[in-house]
Amino acid sequence: MCPPTYFTVSYEINPWMDPSVPVDAARATAQWEHLRDTLRDLGHHVEEIEPEPGLPDMVYAANGATVIDGVAYEAWFRFPERAAEGPAYLRWFSDHGYVTAKARHVNEGEGDLLTCGSRVLAGHGPRTDVAAHREAARLLGREVVSLELVDPRFYHLDTALTVLRGNDGGTPDADCDVAYLPAAFSPESREVLEDLFPDALIATDEDAEVLGLNAVSDGRHVVLNPAATRYAAALRERGYEPVGVDTSELLRGGGGAKCCTLEVRGEPRLPVASRDTPGAAVRSA
Ligand code: ARG
C-alpha cells in the first residue's frame, strides 16, 4: 500500500475525478490508515511503499504492478500523469528481491489483471491494451482471459469484478468465485464470464456505482465500501464476511479499497544485494 501523502485530484482521467472540488487530505489519510489497519487486523501483512511528490494517484497501489509467483510485471500507464509510478513500484520490488519483468505494452497492473486460480482475468479497453494480455501471459506464465470493458465509469476491471475466492493464485479453478456487473462488459466478454463462472454473484448497478465491487477479498472477509449494502447482504448470504471500510475521500480519485491494495503473491527469489546486477531481471525481449 502507498500512503496518500500527496493524494489530490489535480487532473481528470476518469469520470469520478473532479479537480474543482478540493480533497480533504486529513480525511483521506485517516480513511487510508483505517483500511491498512483493518487488513492488518484481519491477519494480513501490509508493506508500505514511499509515496512520491507529484504522483497524486500513487495511493492506488493496485495499479503499481502485477505480482504472481514472486514475479512483478511492470505497470505501464495509459496517461502521462501516472507514467512515473510504474518504475517507482518496480524499483520497490527489485529492492525487495523480487524478479521484475519489464512491460512494453500499456497495462495498469492489478487494476486490470486480476489473478483468479490458475488464470489471470484481464480487462482491456479504457486503460490496458489487449497486447499487454499476451505479454502478461508470457511473463507471468499464466493463462490470461481477455475481457472487454465498455462502461467509462468502470474503467478498470477491479471496478467491475471482484475475485472473491482464488485471488491467491493457488486455489483450484473449480473453487474460484467472482462477483461482477454484466453491463460493464461487452456481450462477448459476458459470455466468457458466464462460461467460466456459471455460479457467479451477479452484481447490480447499485453495488457498482459506489465502487462496491472494488473490494479486497481473502476468500473469507471482503473489505468493501459500506455504502454497498445490497452487495454486502449478497456476500453474507454466500458465506462471506463483509467488512465495511469507508474510503469515500479516495473515491474522489475513482478508487476504493481494492485500488489502494496491491496483492503480492509469492516470495522474493533474488538476494537483495543482486538487485543491481544486469540480467537479474526478466526482460520482455
Ligand atoms: N485516478 C486513478 C486513475 O484514474 C484511479 C485509479 C484506481 N485504481 C484502480 N485499481 N481501479 O487511474
Side-chain angles (χ1 to χ4, degrees), residues 34-280:
H34 182 214
L35 173 63
R36 178 200 57 196
D37 296 347
T38 301
L39 293 171
R40 284 188 176 146
D41 290 347
L42 291 172
H44 303 294
H45 178 80
V46 180
E47 295 266 3
E48 291 180 30
I49 185 172
E50 194 67 42
E52 294 191 11
L55 297 177
D57 275 340
M58 197 172 164
V59 65
Y60 302 113
N63 300 123
T66 305
V67 192
I68 305 179
D69 300 329
V71 177
Y73 169 49
E74 184 183 32
W76 184 320
F77 286 84
R78 160 95 33 214
F79 295 105
E81 289 90 339
R82 299 195 68 184
E85 293 181 44
Y89 275 94
L90 207 68
R91 209 172 312 120
W92 188 96
F93 284 103
S94 67
D95 284 353
H96 288 78
Y98 289 83
V99 175
T100 55
K102 287 269 190 199
R104 291 219 177 140
H105 295 283
V106 171
N107 82 86
E108 299 203 346
E110 206 167 56
D112 273 323
L113 300 169
L114 294 177
T115 302
C116 187
S118 69
R119 307 181 173 105
V120 173
L121 306 180
H124 68 95
R127 298 292 179 91
T128 296
D129 278 341
V130 81
H133 294 182
R134 287 189 292 275
E135 183 173 65
R138 183 163 52 82
L139 295 172
L140 295 169
R142 296 274 174 145
E143 181 196 340
V144 173
V145 178
S146 293
L147 299 167
E148 187 185 4
L149 295 165
V150 296
D151 184 326
R153 292 174 301 165
F154 309 120
Y155 57 95
H156 279 139
L157 183 62
D158 69 358
T159 64
L161 182 147
T162 316
V163 177
L164 294 169
R165 211 168 39 238
N167 197 21
D168 60 350
T171 303
D173 290 334
D175 296 336
C176 289
D177 192 21
V178 303
Y180 66 92
L181 179 74
F185 297 90
S186 67
E188 296 74 21
S189 297
R190 238 178 279 164
E191 261 175 49
V192 171
L193 286 168
E194 281 161 22
D195 274 359
L196 283 177
F197 308 107
D199 304 317
L201 195 171
I202 300 300
T204 65
D205 208 62
E206 180 190 336
D207 304 327
E209 70 189 4
V210 290
L211 286 194
L213 288 161
N214 195 250
V216 182
S217 178
D218 60 13
R220 181 168 162 219
H221 314 96
V222 183
V223 178
L224 80 172
N225 184 350
T229 51
R230 198 222 66 101
Y231 185 38
L235 288 168
R236 210 170 288 118
E237 209 167 291
R238 224 172 155 83
Y240 296 101
E241 213 177 294
V243 180
V245 175
D246 179 16
T247 49
S248 49
E249 207 56 30
L250 295 151
L251 201 65
R252 305 262 320 278
K258 175 68 197 97
C259 295
C260 295
T261 313
L262 174 59
E263 182 143 346
V264 179
R265 300 174 192 81
E267 299 299 318
R269 295 196 215 156
L270 302 170
V272 167
S274 78
R275 64 179 186 250
D276 296 324
T277 309

Side-chain angles (χ1 to χ4, degrees), residues 11-41:
Y11 49 80
E12 199 178 332
I13 57 171
N14 72 53
W16 304 80
M17 300 173 87
D18 180 357
S20 70
V21 185
V23 165
D24 183 337
R27 191 153 180 264
T29 300
Q31 291 180 342
W32 180 89
E33 286 173 353
H34 182 214
L35 173 63
R36 178 200 57 196
D37 296 347
T38 301
L39 293 171
R40 284 188 176 146
D41 290 347

